[in-house]
């Protein structure tokens, strides 16, 4: 046994919703295995990881229990002793490789630092080892990668540099805290296979923290499911994923959207005369000084009235730019966006303000999209009030909308911070619906939410669409979500639509090589196929 | 309410508040305690303090009551401090918010103007203004405000630059909200906390500027002022130290009180220092 956490309890400060961040936790990590710790936000999984290396924030105190590593209790070590363990005995990688790397130091120097601290190797030897490490990380040009600064690397390359740093001294344990969450799906697949390869080569024990069951299925040997600071179920990956015992595990797994699109008969008549939104040859180029970035290249798409068009792509594909052009947060450089036959890109700013109610938007981050200083009822009423209604007249409708999106109508007087992420997204949805729009543009509306909340919000969106006959543009990077909610999907890459059609075709038998790559990179695809085949 | 409660747990804030109340009390009671013109001759010049009960703090070199000048001077300082700060905040917030929200050429133009003000030391600029426009109290407050808005503008602009990117601002635009409403009703309340903290520094500085002007004999000659009293005391510093010392202490206390309050507000608004 490499690491054993025994009866660990960590106290939360003050009067939170629960007294302990982690309570009576027992976990063991064996040599040569990947243990995935899965849970939703607030389940205590990251606190557990931090506790192992003594990285807890000062408000959190270990109340009882031990963390045994090589015969020593890590919770009892002095700061100096802990520094010997960190890096040398246990390596760690984090979610955001950009903030975990020092932007003012060359990548090679940062990795070399690990050697300088823990060994007395000479300069030339350290250099040699740094380049060898970066070669092991499959970076295309390791010599160059050592010389550049973090911002000159892509997200995936930065995460590789981080892993190189964590593994420099060949630690016996690697702790990975959501290491692929900030990455695109194709990059994620590469990083996962890299971690797996290095783990097997060094016979390391890996403690892998994640919220994503797809990732778990891809990489885990064993799984521990956490809820509210407690482990509710542990077992071999195959058992937990396919024969879960605990009710909570079952509900979490049930909330993971299926890969297989549901059967939806396509409408018999064509699109002619039924288009709520036509995007025709739209162009958009960002200019900054002399640098030009083409964000949209001749994009043409149609949205049928009362249906959902999914726009799927990785970061930089132009999907969010397109969403912002449709609501005119951004001006296009060419082409037309027609709503009800009229080109909205030709309206003046004043004319558009009057028309604005026809297209509304729900944003990705429910914590940033609501003004923290306004009551939520007021926020929802804001749209009609801007367009001339009196607040008192709108309030009954606001309450009705609160009911419609599944919130307590009496909650209108509260402030945004009193609501959870999922509730806030419902408020944002109510705000958009208050304008009675014809078209709803949803930009990654469930990406910041936990999987169980995500399932509820997706269901709500589908219900509302049916009830209100909404036409919806749904932007997402998550192909599972797209498969479940969209009538048609368009896959974008570098500003272009590379494939468009019904999900049952595009997501099952894609034609374009990029679409194929994207779909084969979905984490846990094999597990999903097995789970979903009858 | 929470902010007020946190303010009252900060030692700096409480000390500042007590000192400010002291200065306020001086200003408020000046009319009843010393109803006569504080600048009129009252008795024999250069009497030491705590000797003659009629002149508790003594008299200056022209035989004017030092205590009366101190109390009326508190009025001057507070009046100048508060109104100059208001002018600076209004101008600074206007320039900063418009500059930060619109960006582009609007930002470039406004920021070049701000820099033009910043390159001239503000006391020199103030002297030029006073020489041109004279030194009536109301004008003085305006002019002091006019030389101290630049930092407020830069601070507000910085806040706006980050806040305008936030999704709630985009959400307002999607609803069809007009720019002015977005700037002043949606973004500004979120941008204000650091500006309010900075206002205390502007106020402390305004009080100093007015005292400095009065020390040079350039402030309104018809108004009692701490700076004027210090200037008068300077000439007799070796024989009658108390004439300059008393108003000097008053300036120190007033400036200290305002900056301590600023510190207190800063602590109260800083979520990291909050413990509950």
């Amino acid at each position: 046994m490499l690491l054993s956490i025994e009866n660990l309890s960590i106290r939360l400060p003050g009067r939170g919703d629960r007294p302990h961040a982690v309570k009576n936790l027992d976990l063991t990590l064996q040599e040569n295995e990947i243990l995935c710790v899965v849970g939703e936000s607030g389940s205590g999984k990251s606190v557990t990881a931090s506790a192992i290396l003594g990285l807890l924030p000062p408000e959190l105190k270990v109340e009882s229990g031990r963390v045994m590593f090589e015969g020593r209790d890590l919770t009892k070590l002095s700061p100096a002793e802990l520094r010997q363990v960190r890096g040398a005995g246990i390596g760690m990688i984090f979610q955001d490789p950009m903030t975990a790397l020092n932007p003012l130091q060359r990548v090679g120097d940062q990795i070399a630092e690990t050697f300088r601290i823990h060994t007395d190797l000479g300069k030339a030897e350290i250099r040699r080892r740094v380049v060898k490490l970066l070669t092991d990380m499959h970076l295309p040009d390791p010599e160059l990668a050592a010389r550049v600064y973090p911002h000159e690397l892509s997200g995936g390359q930065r995460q590789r540099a981080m892993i190189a740093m964590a593994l420099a001294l060949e630690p016996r344990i690697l702790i990975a805290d959501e290491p692929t969450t900030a990455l695109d799906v194709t990059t994620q697949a590469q990083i996962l296979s890299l971690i797996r390869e290095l783990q097997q080569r060094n016979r390391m024990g890996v403690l892998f923290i994640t919220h994503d069951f797809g990732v778990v299925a891809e990489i885990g040997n064993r799984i521990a499911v956490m809820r509210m600071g407690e482990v509710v179920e542990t077992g071999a990956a195959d058992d937990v994923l396919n024969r879960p015992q605990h009710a909570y595990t079952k509900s979490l797994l049930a909330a993971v959207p299926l890969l297989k699109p549901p059967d939806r008969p396509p409408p018999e008549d064509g699109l002619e005369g039924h288009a709520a939104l036509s995007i025709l040859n739209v162009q958009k180029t960002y200019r900054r000084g002399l640098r030009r970035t083409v964000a949209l290249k001749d994009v043409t798409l149609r949205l049928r009235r009362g249906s959902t068009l999914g726009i799927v792509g990785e970061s930089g594909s132009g999907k969010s730019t397109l969403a912002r052009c449709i609501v005119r947060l951004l001006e296009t450089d060419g082409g037309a966006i027609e709503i009800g036959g009229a080109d909205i890109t030709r309206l003046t700013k004043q004319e558009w303000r009057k028309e604005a109610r026809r297209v509304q938007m729900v944003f990705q981050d429910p914590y940033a999209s609501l003004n923290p200083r306004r009551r939520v009822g007021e926020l929802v009423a804001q749209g009609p009030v801007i367009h001339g209604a009196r607040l008192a007249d709108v309030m009954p409708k606001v309450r009705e909308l609160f009911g419609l999106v599944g919130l307590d109508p009496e909650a209108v007087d509260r402030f945004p911070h009193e609501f959870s992420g999922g509730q806030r997204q419902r408020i944002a949805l109510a705000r958009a619906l208050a304008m009675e729009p014809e078209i709803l543009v949803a930009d990654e509306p469930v990406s910041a939410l936990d999987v169980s909340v995500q399932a509820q919000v997706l269901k709500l969106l589908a219900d509302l669409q049916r009830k209100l006959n909404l036409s919806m543009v749904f932007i997402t990077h998550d192909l599972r979500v797209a498969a479940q909610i969209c009538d048609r999907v368009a896959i974008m890459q570098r500003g272009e639509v590379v494939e468009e059609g019904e999900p049952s075709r595009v997501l099952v038998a894609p034609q374009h090589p990029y679409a194929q790559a994207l779909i084969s990179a979905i984490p846990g695809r094999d597990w999903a196929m097995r789970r979903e085949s009858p | 309410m929470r902010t007020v409660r946190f303010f009252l747990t900060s030692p700096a804030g409480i000390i500042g508040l007590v000192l400010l109340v002291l200065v306020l009390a001086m200003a408020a009671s000046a009319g009843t305690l010393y109803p006569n013109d504080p600048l009129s001759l009252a008795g024999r010049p250069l009497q030491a303090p705590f000797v003659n009960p009629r002149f508790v703090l003594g008299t200056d070199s022209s035989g004017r009551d030092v205590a009366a000048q101190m109390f009326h001077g508190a009025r001057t300082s507070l009046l100048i401090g508060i109104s100059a700060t208001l002018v600076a905040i209004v101008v600074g917030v206007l320039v900063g918010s418009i500059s930060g929200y619109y960006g582009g050429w609007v930002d470039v133009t406004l920021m070049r103007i701000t820099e033009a003000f910043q390159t001239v030391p503000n006391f020199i600029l103030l002297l030029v203004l006073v020489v041109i426009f004279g030194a009536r109290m109301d004008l003085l407050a305006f002019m002091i405000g006019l030389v101290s808005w630049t930092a407020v503008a830069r601070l507000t602009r910085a806040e706006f630059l980050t806040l305008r990117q936030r999704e709630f601002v985009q959400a307002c635009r999607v609803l069809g909200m007009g720019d002015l409403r977005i700037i002043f009703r949606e973004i500004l309340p979120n941008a204000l906390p650091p500006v309010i903290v900075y206002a205390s520094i502007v106020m402390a500085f305004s009080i100093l500027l007015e005292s400095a002007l009065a020390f040079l004999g350039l402030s309104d000659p018809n108004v009692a002022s701490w700076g004027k009293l210090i200037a008068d005391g300077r000439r007799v510093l070796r024989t009658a130290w108390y004439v300059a010392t008393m108003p000097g202490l008053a300036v120190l206390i007033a400036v200290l009180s305002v900056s301590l309050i600023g510190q207190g507000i800063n602590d109260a608004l800083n979520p990291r220092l909050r413990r509950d």
Side-chain angles (χ1 to χ4, degrees), chain B residues 137-183:
Chain B
M137 275 287 282
D138 47 352
L139 273 178
L140 205 58
F142 188 74
M143 292 187 295
I144 292 179
L146 213 58
V147 301
S148 16
W149 59 270
T150 48
V152 179
R154 287 207 163 270
L155 194 61
T156 315
R157 173 175 173 270
E159 289 293 310
F160 265 69
L161 283 181
T162 54
L163 285 168
R164 72 160 181 195
Q165 309 280 354
R166 295 270 285 276
E167 286 185 345
F168 76 83
V169 176
Q170 299 189 4
C172 290
R173 286 174 62 194
V174 171
L175 290 174
M177 196 181 280
D179 287 345
L180 288 182
R181 193 161 168 163
I182 293 182
I183 293 174

Side-chain angles (χ1 to χ4, degrees), chain A residues 268-289:
Chain A
E268 279 155 23
D269 44 352
L271 248 170
E272 286 316 309
H274 295 288
L277 171 76
S278 303
I279 299 164
L280 303 168
N281 306 95
V282 166
Q283 319 268 348
K284 174 76 189 172
T285 306
Y286 291 112
R287 289 183 183 79
R288 185 158 209 165

Side-chain angles (χ1 to χ4, degrees), chain A residues 60-71:
Chain A
L60 299 184
K61 293 266 179 293
V62 173
E63 196 177 66
S64 63
R66 319 190 290 171
V67 179
M68 298 304 291
F69 172 67
E70 295 181 334

Side-chain angles (χ1 to χ4, degrees), chain A residues 35-268:
Chain A
L35 169 66
C36 283
V37 178
V38 213
E40 298 192 293
S41 50
S43 60
K45 54 191 194 305
S46 282
V47 170
T48 309
S50 305
I52 295 170
L53 282 179
L55 294 170
L56 286 174
E59 310 88 84
L60 299 184
K61 293 266 179 293
V62 173
E63 196 177 66
S64 63
R66 319 190 290 171
V67 179
M68 298 304 291
F69 172 67
E70 295 181 334
R72 291 195 289 181
D73 180 358
L74 295 183
T75 63
K76 300 275 187 313
L77 294 189
S78 69
E81 289 169 319
L82 262 177
R83 278 198 291 277
Q84 290 301 312
V85 175
R86 286 181 201 147
I90 302 179
M92 183 153 183
I93 52 179
F94 303 90
Q95 173 171 349
D96 188 349
M98 193 66 217
T99 52
L101 287 169
N102 182 344
L104 295 179
Q105 263 189 23
R106 291 174 200 277
V107 172
D109 292 344
Q110 297 189 49
I111 300 172
E113 202 164 15
T114 319
F115 289 112
R116 281 198 295 274
I117 294 168
H118 291 279
T119 66
D120 27 276
L121 295 172
K123 237 183 170 170
E125 174 65 13
I126 290 180
R127 229 194 99 61
R128 203 186 59 74
R129 290 214 187 179
V130 167
V131 173
K132 167 145 194 322
L133 265 172
L134 290 172
T135 316
D136 287 348
M137 297 308 134
H138 306 305
L139 276 162
D141 185 346
E143 294 272 356
L144 180 71
R147 280 201 308 273
V148 300
Y149 290 94
H151 72 265
E152 298 174 81
L153 298 176
S154 71
Q157 290 172 332
R158 269 182 231 134
Q159 196 57 288
R160 283 171 202 265
M162 274 295 303
I163 297 173
M165 208 185 295
L167 299 186
L169 301 170
E170 300 185 355
R172 299 177 62 202
I173 295 179
L174 176 69
I175 299 176
D177 189 355
E178 303 261 12
T180 58
T181 306
L183 304 175
D184 279 326
V185 51
T186 47
T187 320
Q188 164 169 289
Q190 294 162 11
I191 297 290
L192 289 178
S193 81
L194 174 69
I195 292 178
R196 162 131 275 177
E197 175 195 324
L198 295 166
Q199 178 267 327
Q200 282 169 350
R201 195 202 310 162
N202 301 353
R203 298 185 56 80
M204 272 189 307
V206 176
L207 186 72
F208 196 103
I209 312 247
T210 182
H211 67 281
D212 186 338
F213 271 104
V215 171
V216 173
E218 198 69 37
I219 201 170
N221 301 120
R222 274 195 314 131
I223 300 177
V225 183
M226 284 188 74
R227 181 185 60 172
M228 305 279 282
E230 293 177 61
V231 172
V232 297
E233 181 164 359
T234 48
D238 180 50
D239 290 336
V240 175
L241 287 171
N242 300 317
R243 292 171 292 281
Q245 299 302 314
H246 196 280
Y248 178 68
T249 315
K250 286 181 191 162
S251 73
L252 272 187
L253 283 167
V256 177
L258 300 180
L259 254 184
K260 192 165 150 249
D263 289 326
R264 297 169 197 248
E268 279 155 23

